[in-house]
Amino acid sequence: MTALRRPRLTRDYWLLAGFEALCEVGPAALGAEPLARRLGATKGSFYWHFADVPAYSAALLALWEEDAAQGLEVASQAATEAARLRGCAQAMAATAEADSLTRRAESAIRAWAGTDPIAAEAVARVDTARLARLHRLLSACDIGNLEMARIVYAAAIGMQAMRDPARDQAAPAIGSLVDLILALR
């Protein structure tokens, strides 16, 4: 009789498990032991892929930052400036319908940033990039006020925080805000 061997856990599998754990439990779940227990694996598997827990956390945040940047690129492919602005704002606000676990983890990452300086730096970099993109898109629509970009972005973040997973209204709501801003110019 041969024993069934479980497939080896990949680096990406460990990272996705970290996003799930972060969303469900919080940053305390990002240690080697809690993650290994969660996956039914050994800590040795964790350390095969990551030098230590800080390296794992850095990889988790880097993946989130990369996904956030890609989300901006996809949203910027609409035909008109106004449509690009609307799509960009909607992409920033949407979490529940996002097909990416990293996007759904954004609120948890922001909460983590409140207690971890490395997470806070990652959030600051993403915020800076997103604000710059919103400002460029608003400027292209003849709204050059940087504060307007901050208002749209703050609304998007707030919509993430108050989302109802059963019915995510963030994308239509932020789209309505953008439409209102464009109508007032």
Side-chain angles (χ1 to χ4, degrees):
M1 182 189 248
T2 56
L4 294 175
R5 294 190 69 190
R6 197 176 61 187
R8 179 171 279 161
L9 297 179
T10 65
R11 182 178 193 278
D12 289 343
Y13 196 85
W14 280 100
L15 291 170
L16 293 176
F19 283 116
E20 289 174 353
L22 183 62
C23 289
E24 293 171 17
V25 179
L30 297 179
E33 190 162 330
L35 284 169
R37 268 195 317 270
R38 180 181 188 90
L39 295 174
T42 65
K43 289 190 298 183
S45 175
F46 176 91
Y47 289 112
W48 176 261
H49 297 290
F50 306 97
D52 52 23
V53 173
Y56 175 75
S57 296
L60 205 64
L61 291 165
L63 182 57
W64 173 69
E65 284 186 72
E66 179 183 316
D67 192 60
Q70 287 175 351
L72 289 178
E73 293 307 315
V74 169
S76 294
Q77 296 174 359
T80 67
E81 296 296 338
R84 282 192 280 280
L85 173 60
R86 192 175 211 279
C88 187
Q90 287 176 319
M92 290 176 193
T95 55
E97 75 274 1
D99 59 356
S100 168
L101 182 55
T102 59
R103 294 287 313 283
R104 291 192 306 267
E106 179 144 347
S107 291
I109 290 169
R110 288 183 175 285
W112 181 22
T115 60
D116 182 278
I118 304 301
E121 290 172 10
V123 169
R125 285 189 298 271
V126 167
D127 287 350
T128 298
R130 288 177 172 171
L131 280 167
R133 177 63 58 91
L134 283 172
H135 187 248
R136 281 192 304 274
L137 290 168
L138 283 160
S139 293
C141 293
D142 298 324
I143 303 169
N145 184 343
L146 179 59
E147 291 307 308
M148 198 55 69
R150 294 178 61 77
I151 290 166
V152 171
Y153 190 47
I157 292 170
M159 287 177 192
Q160 287 175 0
M162 62 183 273
R163 72 183 171 96
D164 175 3
R167 55 181 256 270
D168 189 359
Q169 298 297 314
I174 197 75
S176 295
L177 176 62
V178 169
D179 292 344
L180 176 64
I181 291 167
L182 292 173
L184 293 174
R185 64 185 153 143

